[in-house]
Amino acid sequence: MLAAALVLAGCASLSSDGGTADVQALVAGNPLMAGAAAQRTPDEASRQRVGELLAQPLDAEAAVRIALLNSPRVQDAFATLQLSDADRVQAASLPNPVFAFSRLTQGSEREIDRLLSFNVVGLITLPWQARWAGQRHESAKLQAAQSVLVLAADTRRAWVRAVAAQQSVAYLRDAKDAAEAGAELAHRMAQVGNWSALQRTREQLLLADAGAQLARAEQAAVASREQLTRLLGLSGERTAYTLPDRLPALPKAAPELGDVQALALRDRLDVRSAQAQNTAVAGSLGLTHATSVINAMDIGIARNSKFDNGADRSRSTQRGFELDLPIPIFDWGQARNGRAEALYLQSAARVRDVGVLAASEAREAWQGWNTAYAIARRYRDEVLPLRKKVNEEMVLRYNGMLASVWELLGETRASMLAVNSGIEAQRDFWLADTDLQLVLTGSSPGGMTALQTAAANETPAAGGH
């Protein structure tokens, strides 16, 4: 047992990179990552790379790369993983011996007591403690990988919203310009007596409504851009980056994913993390049962020297050992066993819950992706071409003096609003695409929060042994 403990203690050392390489391996090849790697701590090279990416119009892949290099959320995730690595090493370290020293005097007599003691239970249970901590560290790696993927997904969604909002502002400004032209013409027509007050008021109402829509769109564009800026971890002059004029084109066809439920249950990191946590809790349960009655025992080597400084100047020495063992009279470990069993049942229930959540979210996200794709394609292939055709026919009728300027302006406003609806449909598709990728391979925000809360609640169990 001592040899095994010494081997474990010799192998326990902090990872040189804090587990960063293992996290990179877990997320490598994920479509959300855009081929980028998360940066544990920003350095001069990463700051220079961020500057190079910001010098060009920022596409979705570049935004993800900047977030993974610069965002405080990545640094927080790796710092949390480093804490778990430190706990793992601490759990695999041999317990320190305790040295006690006392000096007592009575008259001419002086007594010196020395005791060197060891925690025997801590030494015996060291292999189990080390294995339990190692299992928890594997779960911490999966949670750090989840954090990285969630950040990548959040950045993609923020980028999509920011570009779509900027694009909508441009079209709504054109719609407001058309409304202003109509209101000005109505004002002149009313002045010469060719229009009634009702007709003039209607045009003014259209202008006021277009102005309100534009103001809301401009505020939404500012808010979405600031959300993206926060995720990128930018400040100062670097916030003046440039976004593309429009969203990417739709894919030509829907991907063939097969059974999305099976994919989610196989690949999702929160499912694997829940299973790893359940394994760790099961190991903790066995250790609690083994030490439920006797959870502490110290053995020590004692040497007591007694000096008489009187006339005979005598000296005597006592040698022996000392054993400290709790007597299980009042506490037989029922509470510790009950708590450990409850933690295990709770962990097993969470595994089932995360599995149900993953399968359900996969079905929902896949259906949402198909619906958003169908709507966006309908706008691209049917609504917008038809609206463009109607607008061209209206121009021809106006040039042939078969339609009034009011009909032409009204058709122009309707076309711009249709284009804006098409932008929203395209935005919703790319948001659904990001959600689908995250649901199939990473996590859901609610599921990840539950697992992190569970890990925090289970941590004191080790101290109860």
Side-chain angles (χ1 to χ4, degrees):
M1 182 66 67
L2 180 59
L6 289 172
V7 170
L8 282 173
C11 295
S13 60
L14 293 172
S15 301
S16 58
D17 62 349
T20 304
D22 294 330
V23 173
Q24 302 286 16
L26 287 171
V27 300
N30 192 288
L32 292 172
M33 296 290 291
Q39 184 79 20
R40 179 185 175 190
T41 305
D43 52 18
E44 187 59 33
S46 65
R47 284 188 284 269
Q48 184 177 357
R49 179 58 179 156
V50 169
E52 293 172 355
L53 293 171
L54 291 174
Q56 313 255 341
L58 198 65
D59 59 15
E61 285 71 21
V64 171
R65 288 189 177 96
I66 292 174
L68 296 177
L69 289 172
N70 197 58
S71 176
R73 283 174 54 177
V74 172
Q75 300 160 27
D76 178 77
F78 283 125
T80 303
L81 180 60
Q82 190 173 355
L83 289 174
S84 173
D85 190 40
D87 292 339
R88 175 188 64 83
V89 174
Q90 183 65 46
S93 299
L94 285 169
N96 289 325
V98 178
F99 177 72
F101 177 83
S102 63
R103 183 178 184 276
L104 306 175
T105 59
Q106 181 180 1
S108 60
E109 293 183 352
R110 181 178 60 184
E111 183 175 348
I112 298 177
D113 298 339
R114 288 148 294 195
L115 176 66
L116 183 66
S117 60
F118 300 86
N119 184 348
V120 179
V121 171
L123 184 63
I124 294 175
T125 60
L126 183 64
W128 289 273
Q129 291 277 17
R131 184 174 59 184
W132 179 74
Q135 291 167 342
R136 287 185 59 85
H137 185 55
E138 292 301 317
S139 177
K141 291 178 185 177
L142 291 167
Q143 290 186 7
Q146 289 178 66
S147 298
V148 171
L149 288 183
V150 168
L151 173 63
D154 288 345
T155 303
R156 284 181 178 273
R157 285 191 288 255
W159 181 89
V160 168
R161 292 190 179 100
V163 175
Q166 175 183 276
Q167 198 173 347
S168 294
V169 166
Y171 280 96
L172 289 175
R173 280 177 182 160
D174 292 340
K176 183 175 179 291
D177 292 342
E180 285 179 344
E184 178 62 23
L185 184 57
H187 175 69
R188 294 180 182 181
M189 295 284 286
Q191 280 184 331
V192 298
N194 291 336
W195 264 41
S196 66
L198 176 61
Q199 292 171 309
R200 175 185 175 183
T201 303
R202 283 175 176 169
E203 292 299 321
Q204 290 176 335
L205 180 61
L206 287 174
L207 175 59
D209 183 62
Q213 290 186 33
L214 177 60
R216 284 194 293 265
E218 289 174 340
Q219 177 56 37
V222 171
S224 58
R225 183 184 176 93
E226 288 301 324
Q227 182 186 13
L228 176 60
T229 301
R230 290 191 294 271
L231 289 169
L232 298 178
L234 301 176
S235 60
E237 296 180 354
R238 288 192 163 185
T239 59
Y241 53 85
T242 303
L243 291 173
D245 295 331
R246 60 185 68 251
L247 291 170
L250 298 177
K252 295 181 179 179
E256 294 293 336
L257 296 179
D259 189 351
V260 293
Q261 297 181 77
L263 285 174
L265 292 174
R266 184 193 67 190
D267 296 337
R268 268 180 61 148
L269 294 176
D270 60 348
V271 174
R272 296 166 61 184
S273 179
Q275 293 170 342
Q277 284 192 19
N278 187 56
T279 302
V281 173
S284 174
L285 174 62
L287 182 58
T288 301
H289 283 326
T291 60
S292 59
V293 178
I294 300 177
N295 62 352
M297 182 173 64
D298 293 338
I299 188 170
I301 301 173
R303 177 184 173 92
N304 300 333
S305 300
K306 188 174 182 180
F307 303 89
D308 188 351
N309 294 327
D312 55 355
R313 309 289 292 181
S314 62
R315 171 182 175 178
S316 61
T317 300
Q318 296 177 333
R319 299 178 181 86
F321 67 91
E322 181 177 299
L323 180 65
D324 293 337
L325 186 67
I327 302 175
I329 297 178
F330 306 107
D331 183 7
W332 285 84
Q334 299 95 331
R336 286 191 297 275
N337 286 335
R339 185 178 187 279
E341 291 171 0
L343 284 175
Y344 175 74
L345 293 175
Q346 187 182 60
S347 177
R350 287 197 183 104
V351 172
R352 293 192 297 271
D353 182 57
V354 172
V356 171
L357 178 70
S360 174
E361 285 184 338
R363 295 191 301 268
E364 181 183 359
W366 177 238
Q367 181 61 38
W369 191 98
N370 281 286
T371 301
Y373 183 64
I375 294 173
R377 281 193 62 182
R378 177 152 296 184
Y379 268 95
R380 183 193 66 182
D381 299 339
E382 298 179 27
V383 176
L384 295 181
L386 290 174
R387 178 57 67 182
K388 181 180 179 182
K389 182 67 175 177
V390 169
N391 197 41
E392 291 172 349
E393 291 295 326
M394 184 59 69
V395 171
L396 292 176
R397 290 176 64 84
Y398 174 74
N399 292 335
M401 302 183 70
L402 299 175
S404 67
V405 66
W406 309 109
E407 292 174 313
L408 179 61
L409 289 174
E411 185 56 42
T412 301
R413 288 193 296 265
S415 296
M416 292 175 181
L417 294 177
V419 170
N420 191 59
S421 297
I423 294 171
E424 293 177 351
Q426 195 176 6
R427 175 202 65 194
D428 293 342
F429 164 75
W430 286 114
L431 293 176
D433 182 72
T434 300
D435 290 341
L436 179 62
Q437 296 296 339
L438 180 63
V439 161
L440 291 182
T441 62
S443 175
S444 65
M448 186 173 177
T449 301
L451 285 175
Q452 289 174 338
T453 303
N457 291 336
E458 290 161 6
T459 299
H465 298 326

